[in-house]
Amino acid sequence: MVELTKDNFDAEVKGSSLPVLVDFWGPKCGPCMALLPNVHKMAEEFEGKVKFCSVDVSQNRRVAINCRVMGLPTFLFWKNGEEVARISGAEVTLEKIKENVEKLL
């Protein structure tokens, strides 16, 4: 998992040759913390096919604002430098995350 900040977001996400999943999370977000280990496992499963990145919004508020992230957890899916999908809040499940990752391929 690549940790994103305002300094590396564009290079890692918009400049990536691979499709990208961006996980917006916070240390005080229970659902985020519950998903984290499984998202890390999924990152291993798709290694070399999809780049998995994460943004700790407690440290990187500007990145969240720039991506119009209003609530947690939020997952953005990027392909060819463009955001192609997003899921957030109650609609975030491991199944939904995986479904969207597979659509990137």
Side-chain angles (χ1 to χ4, degrees):
M1 285 283 260
V2 178
E3 284 291 325
L4 297 176
T5 65
K6 67 179 178 9
D7 299 325
N8 71 352
F9 186 90
D10 284 355
E12 292 288 352
V13 177
K14 296 178 183 175
S16 176
S17 57
L18 289 174
V20 183
L21 168 148
V22 184
D23 173 7
F24 286 84
W25 67 282
K28 293 189 171 91
C29 167
C32 301
M33 300 312 286
L35 285 165
L36 220 47
N38 294 308
V39 172
H40 280 273
K41 279 193 198 110
M42 206 180 294
E44 290 169 20
E45 185 184 332
F46 287 95
E47 193 168 348
K49 296 187 206 122
V50 176
K51 184 192 287 189
F52 278 64
C53 301
S54 69
V55 177
D56 176 351
V57 296
S58 70
Q59 306 292 315
N60 296 284
R61 212 168 286 291
R62 173 128 343 267
V63 176
I65 291 166
N66 288 346
C67 290
R68 298 181 314 281
V69 170
M70 300 299 165
L72 297 178
T74 294
F75 288 80
L76 305 186
F77 302 87
W78 291 72
K79 193 168 188 173
N80 302 323
E82 299 286 323
E83 182 187 324
V84 294
R86 74 168 52 206
I87 53 174
S88 63
E91 68 178 338
V92 174
T93 62
L94 281 173
E95 293 73 32
K96 266 271 198 257
I97 296 166
K98 188 165 189 171
E99 186 182 304
N100 278 281
V101 166
E102 287 171 345
K103 282 184 196 165
L104 293 171
L105 298 175

